[in-house]
Amino acid sequence: MIVLIKSSIKLLIRTKIIWLFIIITPILSTIILKSNNNYTSYQDELSSIVELENADEKVAYYGSKGDCVIKIYDASGSELSDYLIDRLADSGMFILCKTDISGEENIDEFIQNHIEFDGNEDRMGAALYITPDFGKKILDGKTAEALTMYVLSDDARIDAFESELTLQLSRMDSFRVGAEGEKELVEGLKYIDDMNPKKDIVSVDTNKARKLTEEQINQKAQMGYAFSFLTLGFVFAGFFVASGVIKEQKNGVFTRVNLSKTSTLTYFTSKFVSVFLVSVLMTGVVGACSFMLDMNDMGMGRITFLILIFMMGLIFSSLSMFVAIMLNDIFSASIASFTLWCTSSLFSGLYFPLDDTSRGIKILSSLMPQKWFLDGTEMIFVGDNKVFSMLICITAAYLILTLSLGGIGLKVRRSTEWGVS
């Protein structure tokens, strides 16, 4: 056993390209974990008002869950226009994507170009343009000239938005009399708002889903992308171990090993130990890279993070090795390893959530190891102490299945090659 392990490790050390995966993929995952991005596709509920960085930013993805998206071009930037937008958002029926264009020159041409762009290149229910002199026109009773709405879809909810907009403008028109300026008008409107009954929304959780904060949602999304790169490294680490097995079979080394009364299971176990050692090495590289991270920003400790990576990596390197050995061809094995990485990452929810997919996709997702480690990440975030018992069971189940099928597969291949029924 020890001789077989040493020979496998020596062969791997001489394989230069394996070091590319062992070193580069942890570095890429570290870069992702250091990024500070907002992943809105993972959020159950978006804020009703989204502040856009600029007017060119597309808003289509904010309505990915069927929300009615309204893009607002605010050229006024006044307290009164902010009040109007807040009141429209309070209805809870729309996602308002606001962009401040108060500093733009030649506003009419600017709006014309962007509305044309929105209609052809973006997707939204409607666009609302608030004029630079919005407050003055409201105070002068010219509400029809204070803003312009552009209907850009046949969504029936636009009628509700138009009704809500008309209601708010009529309130402003009613209270403008006696107001000396925008500030007095806004104060009067807010005074009336405070007299209205407060709406209290109670959410009843029926599916026992874990509720994450916005920060934890972003941490989970970043962890998913990091898992994807790390999985690629572990998959090809297993492939390189398997390529040595394939060469040994073709060169007759495997036959000589069997003639030396070494069982097939012992031979396969030695390869599994080699994969185990490579997984430990790659986890060590990840650990070294983790010192560039602030673990408080990741929502878990360094040791916990490395345990997750090691268990997931051991599963994939072993599984990749098993698949490659069964194919008994280096080219086919490399394609299979890449396919294993792509398919498992796609259907496990690393790139995007699968909560709203069909039942069949969800069942397929539950077969992917990354899905369970992503769930484990959530459990760590919410302080669920059952996370390690769950992940240990998942890891053991995959490893037992891989080791058993690998040994059986080698025996079947040996019997086929020797013509034994």
Side-chain angles (χ1 to χ4, degrees):
M1 171 78 76
I2 296 177
V3 174
L4 291 173
I5 295 173
K6 286 183 178 179
S7 62
S8 297
I9 295 299
K10 287 180 181 179
L11 184 62
L12 288 173
I13 292 175
R14 296 192 189 103
T15 306
K16 295 180 180 179
I17 194 171
I18 191 175
W19 295 102
L20 179 67
F21 290 96
I22 290 177
I23 296 175
I24 296 299
T25 52
I27 292 176
L28 291 175
S29 66
T30 303
I31 293 173
I32 290 176
L33 292 172
K34 282 182 67 68
S35 63
N36 186 20
N37 297 318
N38 291 323
Y39 299 90
T40 56
S41 61
Y42 282 87
Q43 297 181 16
D44 294 328
E45 296 181 3
L46 287 172
S47 173
S48 296
I49 301 178
V50 178
E51 297 283 349
L52 301 179
E53 293 184 2
N54 54 67
D56 297 326
E57 184 176 344
K58 290 188 176 182
V59 302
Y61 60 90
Y62 291 107
S64 59
K65 296 183 179 180
D67 297 306
C68 182
V69 179
I70 309 296
K71 189 172 184 179
I72 299 179
Y73 295 92
D74 186 6
S76 174
S78 63
E79 188 177 358
L80 187 59
S81 66
D82 288 339
Y83 173 81
L84 172 64
I85 295 172
D86 290 338
R87 290 299 299 172
L88 292 174
D90 285 343
S91 66
M93 294 185 292
F94 320 102
I95 298 294
L96 305 181
C97 297
K98 172 189 171 184
T99 177
D100 187 353
I101 60 170
S102 56
E104 295 291 338
E105 299 179 356
N106 198 354
I107 285 290
D108 292 337
E109 182 180 353
F110 180 87
I111 287 297
Q112 183 179 357
N113 293 336
H114 278 77
I115 294 300
E116 183 178 353
F117 175 84
D118 292 340
N120 295 324
E121 305 295 337
D122 207 347
R123 188 183 67 205
M124 64 192 73
L128 184 66
Y129 165 51
I130 300 177
T131 60
D133 53 351
F134 173 75
K136 183 177 183 302
K137 289 185 180 297
I138 292 294
L139 292 172
D140 291 342
K142 301 177 181 179
T143 55
E145 301 176 9
L147 48 77
T148 305
M149 188 177 82
Y150 302 87
V151 178
L152 301 175
S153 76
D154 56 357
D155 193 328
R157 289 172 292 184
I158 299 303
D159 294 336
F161 177 77
E162 187 174 1
S163 298
E164 183 67 22
L165 180 61
T166 301
L167 172 63
Q168 297 305 325
L169 290 176
S170 64
R171 291 179 71 241
M172 292 180 181
D173 188 54
S174 299
F175 285 95
R176 69 180 175 83
V177 179
E180 298 180 359
E182 288 187 41
K183 183 176 182 180
E184 289 76 9
L185 176 57
V186 172
E187 289 177 351
L189 290 167
K190 288 183 177 180
Y191 177 78
I192 299 299
D193 293 338
D194 292 338
M195 297 176 62
N196 293 330
K198 298 296 182 181
K199 179 172 63 174
D200 188 13
I201 300 176
V202 179
S203 177
V204 180
D205 187 5
T206 58
N207 59 3
K208 298 182 179 180
R210 290 178 287 271
K211 296 298 182 182
L212 304 180
T213 65
E214 182 176 348
E215 181 183 7
Q216 289 172 335
I217 289 172
N218 292 328
Q219 290 171 342
K220 175 189 172 183
Q222 289 179 174
M223 191 70 74
Y225 288 114
F227 279 172
S228 178
F229 280 105
L230 290 172
T231 301
L232 177 64
F234 284 112
V235 162
F236 276 92
F239 161 75
F240 286 114
V241 174
S243 65
V245 177
I246 294 172
K247 290 177 181 178
E248 289 175 352
Q249 290 183 5
K250 293 186 180 297
N251 295 333
V253 176
F254 179 62
T255 302
R256 292 194 295 272
V257 168
N258 280 275
L259 291 175
S260 67
K261 297 183 180 181
T262 300
S263 67
T264 301
L265 182 59
T266 301
Y267 176 80
F268 189 79
T269 302
S270 70
K271 301 304 178 183
F272 171 77
V273 174
S274 300
V275 162
F276 179 89
L277 295 175
V278 173
S279 299
V280 170
L281 175 61
M282 188 167 172
T283 304
V285 176
V286 174
C289 293
S290 69
F291 285 97
M292 295 186 292
L293 302 172
D294 185 351
M295 302 309 294
N296 293 325
D297 294 338
M298 294 184 59
M300 66 179 71
R302 181 173 286 103
I303 300 299
T304 302
F305 171 65
L306 294 179
I307 290 174
L308 288 181
I309 298 303
F310 172 71
M311 289 194 292
M312 183 185 69
L314 187 58
I315 290 174
F316 273 98
S317 54
S318 303
L319 188 60
S320 174
M321 179 184 68
F322 161 69
V323 172
I325 290 175
M326 291 301 98
L327 292 174
N328 199 34
D329 179 76
I330 293 179
F331 178 76
S332 300
S334 63
I335 298 299
S337 297
F338 186 76
T339 303
L340 172 66
W341 170 67
C342 290
T343 305
S344 62
S345 297
L346 179 64
F347 287 105
S348 60
L350 295 187
Y351 302 139
F352 45 80
L354 301 176
D355 299 332
D356 299 324
T357 57
S358 65
R359 184 170 179 269
I361 296 295
K362 291 179 180 178
I363 293 175
L364 182 61
S365 176
S366 65
L367 299 177
M368 306 300 163
Q370 300 104 311
K371 188 262 184 189
W372 297 101
F373 285 90
L374 206 58
D375 286 349
T377 299
E378 282 191 11
M379 294 172 70
I380 292 172
F381 288 161
V382 299
D384 192 335
N385 296 325
K386 298 179 181 178
V387 57
F388 287 109
S389 58
M390 183 269 286
L391 292 179
I392 289 173
C393 291
I394 291 295
T395 303
Y398 276 105
L399 293 181
I400 291 172
L401 181 65
T402 301
L403 188 61
S404 301
L405 292 180
I408 294 172
L410 283 176
K411 285 186 177 181
V412 171
R413 181 169 296 282
R414 177 189 174 189
S415 300
T416 303
E417 291 175 352
W418 286 11
V420 180
S421 59

